[in-house]
Amino acid sequence: MEENTLDLLSSLPDEILGRIISFLPSESALQTSFLSTRWASLWNTVLVQHGTTEAAVTAISEFLTHFDELNPLRQPRRLQYHFGKGSANILLATIAANNKLHMELSTGKQEFQKQFDWQLGLNHQSLTDQPSSSSFFVKTLFLKSVGFQSKEAVSSIVSNFQFLESLKIIECNGLQTLEIDSSPRLKSLTIFDCPQLKSLFIRSLKLRSFRYRGLLPRLLTENHFNLKDAMLDFRQGPCDNSFGSNDFDPSLLTIKNAEILTLCKWTFEKLIWPSISYLHGNFQFYRLKELWWIDNSSEGYNSDALISFLKLCPALEQLFVTVDTKSYSMPITTTYSKKVARHSKLEHLKVVKLVGFTNEEDELLLAVHLTKLAVKELLIIATADGICLRSLVKVHLYQPKLNQTHVKYTHNYKFVEENGDINELCVNHAHMGL
Amino acid sequence: MSSVKKVTLKSSDGEIFEVEETVAMESQTIKGLIEDDCADNAIPLPNVTGHILSLVIQYCKEHTSSSDSNSSKSNEKLKAWDTQFINVDLNVLFDLIMAANYLNVKGLLDLTCQTVADMIKEKTPEQIRAMFNIVNDFTPEEEEEVRRENAWAFEISLKNNNVVDTFEVEESMAKELQTIKNMIEDNYTDSVIPLHNVTSDILELVIEDCKKHVEAAESESEPSYSLASKLIDDPLKA
């Protein structure tokens, strides 16, 4: 048999490659676009259409109905719809497996995005209807760069998505206030990087996941819902300094039963602690298993806030602490009660990861403190840059020269370089890297 | 053999094959030619070599006889035969794909494509490239762009557990906490929900607290904020 050095696969005609891809499970199918430019071009056929703003809904509808999920290359998975004044607005819609749709808006030229308010109504969903198995329906929707000129068209399109369960709104410049009216089908809402957003109003009953990254807007919720997964990445600070813990309380109640949480230290200090401090630790985050705590490090590291919060998390299993020097920090210092709360030991804590500490001594102190709080044997990993890992080990040598004014346990521990694969040692928090 | 109708096929390298008509008709292309009366002489197949054509004919023979109602070949046996048949090296496999496409033998085309797909699935792009000698002709920027553009498509969305969080409230409490009452009423799929012990304690604290606030000051603005008042609706304050 002769050596095969030719790429016979790529030289097969498009229809045959399409047929092969139709036999691939959906996760693997799109991955073939990474193989080479020829494969990428298979996936990039774009259907270009021009039309009115009003006709956008029909255009998208038809585009979705024609898509064949079982044979994903048969019809284009991308639609470029030009609409609006001078056809300047472009909506690029892309379909992906597992009922996902990505819609990105652009206005051709770079112009200042006018500030706008947006009300997104998803409450026309009939709850008894089931999607028909033959046509494509949207379960997960990504909306990127919606602007004041395109919001009406997008609203009409979105209100047609009867079976929407997950909504992600990204990078909408100019978006000032956002009101979301949703029905019980919507389980997940993500809002990232909308720099002008000042006010967010959520009407939802069954939201289970809420992820936000950006300045903290005025948060208003009409109904109560129990989040399982909450990412409150407000490390840029609050939009409005007058937003206080009173205003935050309804949101606090929504995260109380979360299992996965991302929380900034300043949010805890300014918006949560004032409301619950008088309850003496009776307000607990019972279900919290995975916590990502975003800290800042102004004037030396102070772990009081973190420790106080940890005492409210009896079920915690994994803790990730990131020190972000650019993160907003509170000018006021809050005092924390030294009273021992009901659950002062972390019985389930197994893994801790410390990221971005600039001072190794602070890092070690915190690590040791956490070891004291835990019941089980802890795996503590520290890294400054995400690449070089160190893990905490006990040192059983007697070292008489050490300074005895430190906490007496310090001399028993140190961080040792790890050469293992980062993934093996410690999986990242679910919200990291989003 | 009795007078079974036969057709003659000629491969690109001049090999002659005499095949029963029914077998040859597994190829839609050949079937078309026969029906159009173009098959009196040998049918030339310039795109298929003798080696590959013989394999295709083997496949067609096996699959024609199984479509006979008298055939005892079960689906399982046929599948096993297919698996062994397709166990060929990559060059032959690709030639078979092209031949099956040209001759329009649907079963063989599906079989060969499925086989390639099975080799691809669950492998990383690097592994696939290695296996098939695919050259990565992306520039690093292009590659980064493709990954970034498609990242959203690979995100795992929140799993929709059918097990909803459950909370149980004593009826007296439930009535007071309008919000929770609404939740329960509107929970189509849920039955009554058991509340964690400590949460009950807090709820009691909350209700007590709220009652105090309600009794103490109707119009007086509260200097110390109570969580309870946010949870409990207006009817209670009245």
Side-chain angles (χ1 to χ4, degrees), chain A residues 240-418:
Chain A
D240 176 356
N241 267 307
S242 68
F243 191 82
S245 59
N246 294 1
D247 308 305
F248 189 75
D249 278 323
S251 308
L252 173 60
L253 288 172
T254 63
I255 65 171
K256 187 170 183 302
N257 292 292
E259 290 180 22
I260 303 177
L261 177 66
T262 295
L263 187 64
C264 292
K265 173 173 144 176
W266 78 263
T267 311
F268 175 68
E269 286 185 316
K270 181 173 180 187
L271 301 176
I272 299 179
W273 184 250
S275 295
I276 64 174
S277 59
Y278 75 98
L279 289 168
H280 302 301
N282 279 336
F283 187 98
Q284 303 236 325
F285 295 84
Y286 308 101
R287 292 170 190 243
L288 189 55
K289 293 206 185 114
E290 220 178 292
L291 170 66
W292 183 19
W293 178 267
I294 300 177
D295 218 313
N296 53 47
S297 65
S298 56
E299 304 144 22
Y301 185 73
N302 181 322
S303 63
D304 285 349
L306 172 59
I307 303 297
S308 301
F309 186 74
L310 290 180
K311 291 190 172 166
L312 305 172
C313 306
L316 194 64
E317 291 176 14
Q318 295 180 48
L319 172 64
F320 301 80
V321 181
T322 296
V323 172
D324 183 349
T325 47
K326 290 180 276 174
S327 165
Y328 176 81
S329 66
M330 286 282 300
I332 330 159
T333 41
T334 329
T335 51
Y336 296 97
S337 161
K338 297 292 181 193
K339 252 193 202 167
V340 174
R342 195 179 306 185
H343 299 277
S344 54
K345 285 276 189 190
L346 298 170
E347 292 176 29
H348 302 276
L349 189 62
K350 293 182 285 207
V351 177
V352 175
K353 190 168 177 194
L354 307 175
V355 183
F357 277 76
T358 47
N359 184 327
E360 281 191 17
E361 211 179 278
D362 288 337
E363 190 181 66
L364 188 59
L365 273 174
L366 177 61
V368 172
H369 196 158
L370 292 171
T371 322
K372 278 191 67 182
L373 277 180
V375 167
K376 294 189 177 163
E377 174 117 6
L378 270 191
L379 168 65
I380 304 190
I381 306 229
T383 171
D385 53 6
I387 303 167
C388 197
L389 291 181
R390 288 161 286 127
S391 70
L392 191 72
V393 293
K394 245 185 184 157
V395 177
H396 295 287
L397 305 169
Y398 176 63
Q399 296 191 4
K401 287 195 287 188
L402 279 172
N403 190 342
Q404 293 299 316
T405 59
H406 280 287
V407 175
K408 62 180 172 178
Y409 300 96
T410 317
H411 70 270
N412 280 338
Y413 293 93
K414 67 174 185 179
F415 275 107
V416 168
E417 284 251 355
E418 277 282 356

Side-chain angles (χ1 to χ4, degrees), chain B:
Chain B
M1 294 284 181
S2 53
S3 55
V4 176
K5 256 198 116 179
K6 292 205 181 190
V7 295
T8 314
L9 305 173
K10 184 163 154 194
S11 73
S12 61
D13 43 357
E15 243 183 281
I16 305 283
F17 296 86
E18 228 182 48
V19 181
E20 287 178 24
E21 195 178 83
T22 43
V23 172
M25 301 239 279
E26 285 286 307
S27 154
Q28 296 296 311
T29 312
I30 295 178
K31 180 170 184 245
L33 290 172
I34 293 174
E35 284 168 355
D36 286 349
D37 264 343
C38 304
D40 291 337
N41 304 319
I43 302 176
L45 301 170
N47 290 354
V48 192
T49 63
H51 171 47
I52 298 298
L53 186 53
S54 72
L55 285 173
V56 175
I57 291 169
Q58 251 184 64
Y59 178 89
C60 295
K61 268 197 183 135
E62 195 66 26
H63 282 255
T64 319
S65 60
S66 67
S67 55
D68 259 346
S69 47
N70 294 329
S71 164
S72 56
K73 274 250 163 70
S74 67
N75 263 339
E76 263 175 44
K77 279 207 177 132
L78 203 54
K79 271 212 160 102
W81 187 92
D82 280 351
T83 312
Q84 232 206 349
F85 172 76
I86 210 65
N87 187 11
V88 292
D89 76 44
L90 225 46
N91 283 325
V92 177
L93 183 60
F94 286 127
D95 284 341
L96 276 174
I97 292 182
M98 294 301 280
N101 186 43
Y102 170 66
L103 292 170
N104 202 344
V105 184
K106 184 175 188 298
L108 182 58
L109 188 56
D110 284 345
L111 175 64
T112 46
C113 288
Q114 174 80 67
T115 307
V116 178
D118 288 343
M119 292 174 173
I120 292 178
K121 74 178 177 194
E122 282 156 31
K123 291 212 166 58
T124 66
E126 291 75 28
Q127 290 169 324
I128 299 172
R129 286 195 207 112
M131 185 180 261
F132 295 101
N133 297 309
I134 301 176
V135 175
N136 179 0
D137 57 351
F138 285 119
T139 66
E141 295 79 33
E142 281 171 351
E143 190 160 0
E144 177 57 38
E145 170 104 3
V146 172
R147 283 190 187 272
R148 208 174 20 90
E149 268 182 8
N150 286 313
W152 64 273
F154 294 105
E155 266 180 42
I156 306 164
S157 31
L158 183 75
K159 242 187 179 172
N160 288 317
N161 301 334
N162 284 325
V163 181
V164 182
D165 305 305
T166 47
F167 301 87
E168 188 181 87
V169 187
E170 286 166 52
E171 207 158 311
S172 52
M173 275 198 249
K175 285 180 196 161
E176 314 229 30
L177 298 172
Q178 201 67 25
T179 315
I180 293 186
K181 187 179 175 214
N182 284 342
M183 272 168 62
I184 294 171
E185 280 173 351
D186 292 344
N187 269 335
Y188 315 95
T189 52
D190 296 345
S191 52
V192 186
I193 318 157
L195 195 72
H196 193 288
N197 286 347
V198 192
T199 315
S200 293
D201 290 346
I202 291 181
L203 270 176
E204 285 186 79
L205 279 173
V206 157
I207 292 169
E208 266 186 68
D209 210 352
C210 182
K211 278 184 184 162
K212 282 184 206 158
H213 281 271
V214 167
E215 284 156 16
E218 278 106 347
S219 54
E220 183 191 315
S221 60
E222 303 159 0
S224 68
Y225 170 78
S226 163
L227 267 178
S229 55
K230 278 286 190 271
L231 185 60
I232 297 166
D233 289 11
D234 288 335
L236 196 56
K237 283 184 182 167

Side-chain angles (χ1 to χ4, degrees), chain A residues 142-313:
Chain A
F142 293 77
L143 294 176
K144 185 170 170 187
S145 299
V146 178
F148 89 95
Q149 283 176 329
S150 46
K151 66 162 184 167
E152 290 303 334
V154 175
S155 293
S156 322
I157 294 170
V158 176
S159 62
N160 266 351
F161 294 150
Q162 294 275 315
F163 307 104
L164 191 64
E165 290 180 15
S166 172
L167 177 62
K168 266 185 107 134
I169 298 177
I170 316 162
E171 291 172 33
C172 297
N173 286 314
L175 181 60
Q176 224 177 192
T177 70
L178 177 61
E179 196 178 308
I180 297 189
D181 269 331
S182 80
S183 85
R185 271 198 221 266
L186 190 73
K187 298 274 190 303
S188 166
L189 176 64
T190 301
I191 300 174
F192 280 170
D193 311 321
C194 297
Q196 284 84 33
L197 191 61
K198 292 200 180 65
S199 165
L200 176 61
F201 189 173
I202 302 174
R203 265 196 207 100
S204 159
L205 284 170
K206 293 274 212 162
L207 208 60
R208 284 282 171 266
S209 161
F210 177 66
R211 292 170 179 186
Y212 190 93
R213 180 170 66 213
L215 288 165
L216 168 66
R218 292 200 79 85
L219 280 173
L220 298 150
T221 55
E222 182 162 287
N223 305 312
H224 173 74
F225 44 87
N226 277 302
L227 292 174
K228 191 169 164 209
D229 179 318
M231 176 177 176
L232 308 178
D233 186 345
F234 303 134
R235 67 178 93 185
Q236 292 174 35
C239 214
D240 176 356
N241 267 307
S242 68
F243 191 82
S245 59
N246 294 1
D247 308 305
F248 189 75
D249 278 323
S251 308
L252 173 60
L253 288 172
T254 63
I255 65 171
K256 187 170 183 302
N257 292 292
E259 290 180 22
I260 303 177
L261 177 66
T262 295
L263 187 64
C264 292
K265 173 173 144 176
W266 78 263
T267 311
F268 175 68
E269 286 185 316
K270 181 173 180 187
L271 301 176
I272 299 179
W273 184 250
S275 295
I276 64 174
S277 59
Y278 75 98
L279 289 168
H280 302 301
N282 279 336
F283 187 98
Q284 303 236 325
F285 295 84
Y286 308 101
R287 292 170 190 243
L288 189 55
K289 293 206 185 114
E290 220 178 292
L291 170 66
W292 183 19
W293 178 267
I294 300 177
D295 218 313
N296 53 47
S297 65
S298 56
E299 304 144 22
Y301 185 73
N302 181 322
S303 63
D304 285 349
L306 172 59
I307 303 297
S308 301
F309 186 74
L310 290 180
K311 291 190 172 166
L312 305 172
C313 306

Side-chain angles (χ1 to χ4, degrees), chain A residues 81-96:
Chain A
Y81 187 79
H82 296 244
F83 65 103
K85 235 188 334 187
S87 284
N89 292 305
I90 305 173
L91 162 63
L92 180 63
T94 310
I95 299 178

